[in-house]
Amino acid sequence: MPDAAIRPKVAHLDRGGTSVVVRTDGTTPPSIAYWGKSLGPVTAPQLDILDRALRPTLGDSVANTSLPGAVVPELARGWLGLPGIECDREGTAWAPRCSITDWQVDGCRLRVELRDEEYGLGEQLVLELEDSGLLRLQATVTNEAEAPLEVRALTLGVPVPTRADTLLDFAGGWSNERHAQRTAFQVGRWTRDARGGRPGLDGPLLLIAGTSALGHRSGEAWAVHLGWSGNQQIAAERTFTDVHRLLGGELLHPGEVLLGPGESYSSPWLYASWGRGLDEMAHRFHAHLRSHRGEQRPAPVLLNTWEATYFDQDPSHYRELAALAAGIGVELFVVDDGWFCGRDNDRSSLGDWFVDARTWPDGLRPFSDFVHELGMDFGLWVEPEMISLDSALARAHPEWVVDAGHGPGLALRHQHVLDLTEPDAYSWILGRLDALVSDLRVDYLKWDHNRPLLDAGSQVAGGRAVAHGQTLACYRLMADLTDAHPGLRIESCASGGGRIDLGILECAERVWPSDSNDAHDRLRIQRWTGLLLPPEMQGTHIGAEQAHATGRVADLAFRAQVAVWGNLGLELDLTKVSPGDLEAIAAWIDVHKRWRDRLHTGSTVWLDREDGSVMMGTVADDRTSALFLFTVAERGPTPPAPLRFAGLEPDRTYRVRIEGPVQRPVDLPQWACGDVSLPGRLLMAAGLAAPALGPDTGVLIALDAADA
Ligand code: DGJ
């Protein structure tokens, strides 16, 4: 059967400083000829020339019918890299060859319809270029035949220039997330898989291809991120024909997506950002998240009880804690794990979401009312996707525990997974959460997920894999709750930073980036998490003097200086803090609130420093003020280089001053006296002398425009 033919087409999407040129020769699936810095106004004939000029010359023995930048490339069209669609109809229909049937450009949105006539398979591809210059792509496959079609993979890719010779992504583990790893972009495939039903504590967050001089403010970066909270793969692929591409898609277990006649499967959105340096690349993600956040409410300063009391919840102690918190400016009080029936430790009771009358003899409502009377919102920890075998729920419904045929599987943190694809289990948990939110006047849910899914099958469905369905069910559960309770905020936590992605952030407002409140480690974790998230979406807490996760001891000033940038919180027992420290914490909350609007709408900048010191900041949207942190993480053999700022208005004069209490005596240079004013261009080009600081000591430097 001949390919359906439309005429060759080239579309130029141009927005937010970004151009994407997509083409087809009339039959073959769309291919990205160019993605990066805006090309400016381009005429149709110029686009045609560009399209032909960008086609590579290939030698003998090279399949050359496939356009190299195909978003969903096909083996049948000569693509020898990872295929875009992998499917199967009982051993047939495994090598799709789709042809374009429709091509619609609407502003900066391109929608392309494709069809494989012989296989009875439809495909739809959507590319959207947002105001910020962030590109997102999604594909949908439809079974147009009578016999079921299994989709094994649907992977989308974007090409990057061959000068991108370095890859940057992240690794780590519990309370130790986001260690940067760089590797050469060589022929072959660099793949990062997540198979635990969530992106994972060790997850890459983003996969970035860059030029070798890549830094926050140097080199060029192209990055992809998959907006999906379940199993997934992102990869960088370089072919022997020197095509460099970044790709991503959901990892599917056998039988997870079996399409009946007329049924469809849509891939998660693949997000792609580029920038001259990592900061510019990150700002496109920030703009996307900020514009999708809807109603702009200040991120509340909170107190979370986890490291303050762990499972030891006592109503009179909690009242004292709440009163102290309200007194120093806390706006949200979050009761963490330990409030529900039988939950004395982490060995039991997940699923029994009723307030434990042994701990809270009058229930939690009087305490929630007390918190509200103090002027704070009330938050509650839950872990709705999990179940303990030692729980009333598991005893009543053992069939709701996921099981792929060998029993409930490994107990990790002594817990198992509740099958949310089972409609009765879903209704039950939705009903419970809904009742808790109403009855306890809950304003905020800290939503945890502490066990990877592993061999997650549904008993009710004969052991079929449910990782895909479970992820969708989690989104639905969050959406059902927020629809029923407008204004309810959700925090995504998965043993810390195990579920940070643009999928969950369609429902959640903030993430918990790590169980480590160690300010030294937090600098790294917040820095790299910040490539995806704006500061207000990261929970950043002031923990105890000796960090529980690492044992490292740090001054209150340093802990606060690292925490003020994000969604500030406290995670320590205020009833045991000295009056002096309580006063200092109040002062830091005050600093945060004075800057909050600017920190949570401005641009984050990180300076590339090679001497072991760290300098980062936020420049207000109108560039009339900026706040910077300078700190020494590792001491070098020589004093740190001068502090050169970034992101300022060159011709504006800024007054320089130290912000917030300086706790430990530090040797401050002359400019710290507060009467130095300099134009932005001098502060950026020459800078100021670095203060002599010991390790894990910092200063906050405020710059206020003299004319503001
Ligand atoms: C893991 C989370 O990351 C912690 O912050 C805390 O909520 C515990 N779970 C509670 O079990």
Side-chain angles (χ1 to χ4, degrees):
M1 184 113 178
D3 284 335
I6 63 167
R7 294 222 309 278
K9 290 195 186 292
V10 184
H12 178 205
L13 313 183
D14 184 12
R15 197 188 239 178
T18 302
S19 279
V20 184
V21 177
V22 192
R23 67 186 180 210
T24 174
D25 61 10
T27 51
T28 51
S31 170
I32 295 179
Y34 175 87
W35 164 49
K37 184 174 182 250
S38 170
L39 299 170
V42 187
T43 62
Q46 285 169 339
L47 275 181
D48 271 351
I49 295 168
L50 179 80
D51 172 25
R52 271 176 276 122
L54 283 171
R55 289 184 194 207
T57 318
L58 300 174
D60 286 348
S61 297
V62 175
N64 60 5
T65 48
S66 186
L67 296 171
V71 177
V72 183
E74 298 168 338
L75 181 65
R77 291 197 185 273
W79 178 252
L80 294 171
L82 193 76
I85 308 178
E86 292 174 64
C87 58
D88 170 42
R89 200 178 268 131
E90 294 194 344
T92 68
W94 57 271
R97 194 181 67 157
C98 294
S99 301
I100 296 188
T101 57
D102 193 29
W103 171 281
Q104 298 290 337
V105 183
D106 180 10
C108 277
R109 182 174 199 267
L110 170 66
R111 186 177 52 76
V112 184
E113 304 286 345
L114 303 105
R115 189 145 208 277
D116 183 325
E117 195 67 41
E118 290 81 359
Y119 280 9
L121 182 154
E123 183 191 331
Q124 187 189 72
L125 198 60
V126 176
L127 283 88
E128 289 176 358
L129 187 60
E130 301 191 349
D131 285 343
S132 64
L134 185 74
L135 174 67
R136 62 177 201 160
L137 312 92
Q138 186 181 48
T140 300
V141 166
T142 303
N143 179 19
E144 295 178 350
E146 283 307 310
L149 178 82
E150 179 172 3
V151 179
R152 299 299 313 272
L154 184 51
T155 310
L156 284 77
V158 287
V160 297
T162 51
R163 64 183 182 279
D165 56 9
T166 305
L167 297 174
L168 167 65
D169 63 8
F170 303 94
W174 177 74
S175 87
N176 190 26
E177 296 88 339
R178 316 283 167 247
H179 285 271
Q181 47 182 19
R182 285 184 193 243
T183 179
F185 197 163
Q186 290 179 325
V187 172
R189 191 158 61 240
W190 173 259
T191 304
R192 300 297 309 276
D193 290 355
R195 296 172 188 273
R198 57 187 195 181
L201 294 159
D202 59 334
L205 195 70
L206 298 150
L207 180 52
I208 302 160
T211 51
S212 35
L214 181 63
H216 284 276
R217 311 198 64 82
S218 60
E220 295 172 276
W222 295 264
V224 291
H225 165 85
L226 196 71
W228 183 243
S229 312
N231 291 339
Q232 58 189 275
Q233 179 177 74
I234 59 176
E237 183 169 50
R238 179 174 169 188
T239 65
F240 71 107
T241 52
D242 216 24
V243 173
H244 290 48
R245 59 195 297 266
L246 298 174
L247 46 104
E250 184 179 6
L251 277 178
L252 295 166
H253 289 305
E256 266 196 310
V257 176
L258 195 59
L259 302 178
E263 288 181 345
S264 299
Y265 165 78
S266 292
S267 72
W269 287 100
L270 181 73
Y271 291 84
S273 180
W274 77 279
R276 284 152 297 203
L278 294 168
D279 282 358
E280 187 183 345
M281 179 215 84
H283 292 161
R284 300 188 200 284
F285 286 111
H286 297 181
H288 165 84
L289 284 162
R290 283 175 170 166
S291 69
H292 279 66
R293 216 170 52 203
E295 185 207 345
Q296 306 286 310
R297 330 180 253 183
V301 177
L302 62 85
L303 183 138
N304 178 288
T305 61
W306 182 239
E307 287 194 357
T309 68
Y310 292 103
F311 293 101
D312 190 10
Q313 300 189 353
D314 170 71
S316 57
H317 182 196
Y318 268 43
R319 280 181 175 249
E320 212 186 324
L321 197 51
L324 285 170
I328 58 170
V330 169
E331 298 160 316
L332 164 68
F333 190 98
V334 183
V335 175
D336 208 284
D337 197 355
W339 57 268
F340 50 98
C341 277
R343 186 71 166 176
D344 298 332
N345 51 48
D346 63 9
R347 306 186 79 88
S348 74
S349 309
L350 293 171
D352 295 348
W353 304 111
F354 298 90
V355 178
D356 193 333
R358 296 170 310 152
T359 319
W360 297 94
D362 303 322
L364 259 173
R365 178 60 187 256
F367 181 66
S368 161
D369 287 344
F370 179 67
V371 165
H372 284 116
E373 278 155 27
L374 288 168
M376 297 185 288
D377 281 349
F378 179 71
L380 197 65
W381 177 94
V382 288
E383 198 177 2
E385 299 147 86
M386 297 291 150
I387 185 166
S388 306
L389 293 188
D390 183 5
S391 66
L393 185 68
R395 282 185 282 276
H397 289 286
E399 77 283 8
W400 289 357
V401 181
V402 299
D403 175 343
H406 304 96
L410 291 177
L412 304 178
R413 207 194 189 212
H414 317 285
Q415 66 191 58
H416 292 80
V417 178
L418 179 70
D419 179 5
L420 292 182
T421 68
E422 206 308 280
D424 291 342
Y426 182 90
S427 305
W428 187 87
I429 192 73
L430 174 61
R432 237 358 5 250
L433 292 170
D434 183 53
L436 285 167
V437 172
S438 303
D439 298 350
L440 302 181
R441 293 176 64 204
V442 173
D443 306 293
Y444 181 97
L445 288 174
K446 177 177 175 185
W447 192 298
D448 214 337
H449 183 287
N450 286 298
R451 184 195 186 277
L453 259 53
L454 309 181
D455 51 340
S458 172
Q459 294 187 55
V460 185
R464 293 189 83 88
V466 292
H468 171 72
Q470 186 82 356
T471 308
L472 293 177
C474 169
Y475 291 158
R476 188 152 56 92
L477 194 54
M478 288 184 170
D480 284 350
L481 281 167
T482 46
D483 284 352
H485 302 278
L488 178 72
R489 297 175 195 260
I490 296 180
E491 167 179 14
S492 168
C493 170
S495 312
R499 190 156 67 179
I500 300 178
D501 62 85
L502 299 193
I504 207 82
L505 284 167
E506 303 245 330
C507 313
E509 278 191 25
R510 81 162 210 172
V511 305
W512 182 228
S514 177
D515 268 359
S516 173
N517 285 315
D518 175 336
H520 179 95
D521 285 355
R522 270 303 185 118
L523 266 180
R524 177 194 78 242
I525 293 166
Q526 292 167 202
R527 171 190 190 172
W528 296 129
T529 307
L531 290 187
L532 186 69
L533 303 191
E536 65 275 17
M537 291 188 145
Q538 293 199 50
T540 53
H541 294 182
I542 301 175
E545 183 174 31
Q546 179 165 28
H548 292 198
T550 62
R552 193 183 268 123
V553 172
D555 270 356
L556 174 58
F558 180 59
R559 285 178 277 144
Q561 284 160 349
V562 173
V564 289
W565 303 92
N567 178 193
L568 179 63
L570 309 179
E571 199 165 333
L572 72 180
D573 188 349
L574 295 176
T575 68
K576 301 205 173 92
V577 161
S578 71
D581 274 1
L582 201 59
E583 210 177 298
I585 294 173
W588 281 111
I589 292 178
D590 214 46
V591 168
H592 171 77
K593 286 185 180 169
R594 260 187 285 121
W595 281 91
R596 174 164 55 187
D597 282 356
R598 287 169 285 176
L599 296 176
H600 292 178
T601 53
S603 306
T604 312
V605 293
W606 283 83
L607 284 299
D608 296 303
R609 295 175 66 88
E610 303 296 331
D611 55 15
S613 64
V614 174
M615 192 173 162
M616 53 88 50
T618 302
V619 180
D621 244 5
D622 59 5
R623 297 206 271 181
T624 56
S625 60
L627 188 66
F628 282 85
L629 167 67
F630 171 69
T631 172
V632 174
E634 306 292 339
R635 298 176 90 186
T638 52
L643 311 184
R644 289 169 60 208
F645 296 82
L648 307 176
E649 191 92 59
D651 291 327
R652 208 164 208 154
T653 298
Y654 294 88
R655 191 169 75 84
V656 182
R657 68 184 166 85
I658 299 289
E659 177 63 282
V662 178
Q663 194 171 16
R664 212 194 284 172
V666 291
D667 190 3
L668 293 176
Q670 183 267 333
W671 57 258
C673 62
D675 58 7
V676 168
S677 292
L678 286 170
R681 78 191 116 78
L682 259 68
L683 290 165
M684 294 193 285
L688 302 169
L693 301 180
D696 291 344
T697 314
V699 285
L700 287 189
I701 305 161
L703 305 176
D704 303 296
D707 59 342

